[in-house]
């Protein structure tokens, strides 16, 4: 790698492709431009390695999602008993693989081209985004729609704001919002998801059914044996990912925790005031967390360090409001049975404002203290 | 008749001083009436007519208007013309006037009108004012039509109500993009046009600091 490097440095014959070389070098090896002498200890853990830890944390949800695609498929055609879990998993893998390829090819393609045009290094933000996209769109979305939505999100939510680290909105969520607006998906699955059934439910007692009409329990929803987008079905797998993110210190426990607190609090509140007009208020708070994309949004979307709040107090407020708004949209807006993703996007807008207020409040407090001590 | 100055009044608003792209005026109606091509074209013609005529009228009476009440006088003139256009549309093209609903009436509040009356008609004689009105109306109309073209094509698969995307595309999984019908995509379409326009006219680009 180092041997071919001079060709890409300014003056070399391939210097135009420098950003491509740079991207590949840091992706495959630990770059040797960390400081090696002096008193500064410089961690070899760069942005790319941080991103890869997020991918590791996504793995349980993804692997389970693949299995669940197969499970739902074979359940629908009534061959669950005669099919091994491996066959189901392979079915799911083959179903989701083209989406992953399309998402990465389109997204990275745009990033590479943009980096070449601007003469910058390739930013690696898309590593995670590219994996999140297949996990939050329904498995039966046409591939070209995924490609269009990804291109739209990368160009309009990221590149026009200045690339990785400058975006206001979470890019993966913009992709989903694009598909939602385009009318291809209603709530993460074109069939009847539990939340989709909830929103059209009539009556005072709530019973939900899976593809073949068996009732769904909270336990099924927690484990993930329910229809939904690949990544978001299994709350358990998401929690494993959450543990990885928290132990490695990549995600903010303040945001993640307060989203769940906010969701549970609002879930308890709406459950205390049940109404037949808003059927989702019949779900208890635990069900609210387990169904739909709430847990996935809390663990992988809200904790995005770029689009979220950065001050500690701000992170509590930011997370709590995501939880509250997610349940609010889900319960009181029957047009959108799934509110978690929209809540994160909405709070993305407010994150800088929250940070500003927290910082200003701190400045004012210190000013008062300084004056009092004078 | 068409001196250099008059030519500038007529042609500059088409690109270099485009009211929508460069001055960012009239955005509200650009978002509202561009879901399909037909109302956009009718809206453009209405704006051109109102703008040119009000420019001429204000220019004719510019020396008699007391400065302190000039805005009121301008509004009265524009409002009268808008009512005429509205009644004309109701009489001859009822369906489109239904689609445009309040937006014909809201031409009164279109910033382009007040802007041109204040900036041009009050200081110029009728003929250049007329050309200026036509030019700015066209500049606005072009953008309206471009935006409406893409929104109708991608959102409904039609142009002026005729199906242009062949059925075999739908059979192979193509879908109309419902998002194009919604107002946000009008904003993004205008943004794309501004992007292309600035890329071609580098002197219009703001310098970043």
């Amino acid at each position: 790698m180092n041997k071919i490097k001079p060709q890409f440095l300014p003056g070399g014959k391939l210097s135009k492709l420098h950003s491509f070389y740079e991207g590949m070098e840091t992706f495959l090896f630990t770059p040797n431009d960390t400081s090696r002498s002096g008193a500064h200890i410089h961690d070899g853990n760069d942005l790319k390695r941080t991103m890869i830890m997020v991918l590791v944390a996504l793995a349980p949800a993804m692997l389970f999602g693949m299995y669940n695609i197969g499970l739902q498929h074979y359940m629908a055609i009534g061959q669950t008993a005669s099919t091994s879990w491996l066959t189901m998993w392979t079915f799911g893998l083959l179903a989701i693989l083209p989406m992953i390829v399309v998402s990465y090819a389109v997204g990275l393609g745009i990033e590479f081209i943009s980096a070449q045009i601007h003469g910058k290094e390739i930013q690696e933000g898309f590593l995670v985004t590219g994996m999140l996209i297949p996990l939050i769109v329904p498995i039966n979305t046409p591939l070209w729609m995924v490609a269009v939505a990804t291109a739209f999100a990368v160009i309009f939510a990221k590149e026009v704001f200045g690339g990785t680290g400058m975006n206001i909105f979470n890019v993966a969520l913009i992709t989903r919002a694009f598909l939602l607006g385009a009318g291809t998906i209603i709530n993460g699955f074109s069939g009847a998801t539990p939340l989709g059934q909830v929103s059209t439910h009539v009556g005072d007692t709530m019973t939900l059914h899976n593809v073949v009409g068996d009732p769904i329990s909270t336990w099924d929803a927690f484990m993930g044996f329910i229809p939904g987008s690949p990544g978001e079905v299994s709350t358990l797998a998401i929690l494993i990912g959450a543990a990885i993110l928290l132990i490695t210190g990549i995600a903010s426990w303040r945001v993640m925790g307060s989203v769940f607190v906010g969701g549970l609090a609002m879930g308890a509140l709406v459950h205390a005031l049940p109404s037949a007009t808003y059927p989702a208020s019949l779900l208890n708070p635990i069900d609210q967390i387990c169904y739909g994309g709430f847990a996935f949004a809390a663990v992988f979307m809200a904790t995005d360090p770029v689009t979220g709040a950065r001050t500690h107090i701000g992170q509590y407020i930011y997370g709590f409001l995501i939880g509250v708004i997610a349940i609010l949209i889900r319960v009181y807006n029957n047009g959108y049975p799934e509110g978690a993703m929209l809540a994160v996007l909405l709070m993305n807008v407010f994150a800088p404002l929250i940070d500003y207020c927290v910082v200003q409040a701190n400045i004012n407090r210190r000013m008062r203290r300084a004056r009092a001590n004078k | 008749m068409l001196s250099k100055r008059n030519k500038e009044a007529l042609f500059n608003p088409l690109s270099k001083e485009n009211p929508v792209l460069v001055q960012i005026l009239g955005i509200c109606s650009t978002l509202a009436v561009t879901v399909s091509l037909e109302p956009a074209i009718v809206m453009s013609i209405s704006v051109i007519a109102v703008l040119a005529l009000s420019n001429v009228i204000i220019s004719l009476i510019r020396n008699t208007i007391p400065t302190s009440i000039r805005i009121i006088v301008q509004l009265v003139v524009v409002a009268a013309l808008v009512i005429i256009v509205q009644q004309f549309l109701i009489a001859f093209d009822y369906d489109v006037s239904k689609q445009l609903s309040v937006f014909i009436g809201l031409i009164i509040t279109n910033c382009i009108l007040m802007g041109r009356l204040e900036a041009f008609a009050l200081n110029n004689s009728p003929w250049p004012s007329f050309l200026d009105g036509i030019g700015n109306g066209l500049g606005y109309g072009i953008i309206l039509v471009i935006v409406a073209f893409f929104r109708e094509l991608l959102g409904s698969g039609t142009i002026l109500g005729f199906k242009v995307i062949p059925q075999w595309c739908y059979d192979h999984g193509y879908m109309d993009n419902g998002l194009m019908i919604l107002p946000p995509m009008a904003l993004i379409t205008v943004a794309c046009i501004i992007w292309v326009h600035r890329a071609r006219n580098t002197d219009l680009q703001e310098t970043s600091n």
Side-chain angles (χ1 to χ4, degrees), chain A residues 95-147:
Chain A
I96 202 172
L97 205 57
M99 274 189 159
I100 298 178
V101 171
V102 165
S103 146
Y104 270 116
V106 172
L108 285 178
I110 294 172
E111 294 247 319
F112 275 40
I113 292 167
S114 151
Q116 293 291 353
I117 291 173
H118 294 113
K120 287 185 197 155
E121 289 171 17
I122 291 164
Q123 299 284 333
E124 40 281 286
F126 198 76
L127 273 183
V128 170
T129 312
M131 190 53 79
L132 285 173
I133 289 170
L135 290 181
I136 56 171
V137 302
I139 191 64
N140 46 7
T141 313
L143 287 179
W144 72 269
M145 287 290 291
V146 176

Side-chain angles (χ1 to χ4, degrees), chain B residues 33 36 38-39 94-103:
Chain B
V33 301
S36 51
E38 195 185 355
Y94 187 70
D95 291 338
V96 173
S97 81
K98 268 281 182 222
Q99 278 181 53
L100 287 169
S101 63
V102 296
F103 288 99

Side-chain angles (χ1 to χ4, degrees), chain B residues 19-95:
Chain B
V20 182
L21 297 187
V22 181
Q23 305 173 34
I24 319 289
L25 297 175
I27 292 293
C28 175
S29 53
T30 309
L31 305 193
V33 301
T34 53
V35 173
S36 51
L37 204 48
E38 195 185 355
I41 292 173
V42 173
M43 180 75 179
S44 308
I45 295 171
S46 310
V47 169
I48 294 171
V50 173
L51 192 49
L53 289 176
S54 63
N55 256 4
V56 170
I57 294 171
I58 292 294
S59 173
L60 280 172
I61 58 173
R62 69 184 186 280
N63 295 325
T64 56
I65 306 173
T67 322
S68 49
I69 58 159
R70 66 181 195 286
I71 302 277
I72 300 173
V73 175
Q74 289 165 8
L75 270 181
V76 170
V77 170
V78 176
L81 288 168
V82 166
I83 296 293
I84 294 171
V85 168
Q86 197 169 22
Q87 294 304 319
F88 184 84
L89 277 184
I90 291 175
F92 291 99
D93 200 347
Y94 187 70
D95 291 338

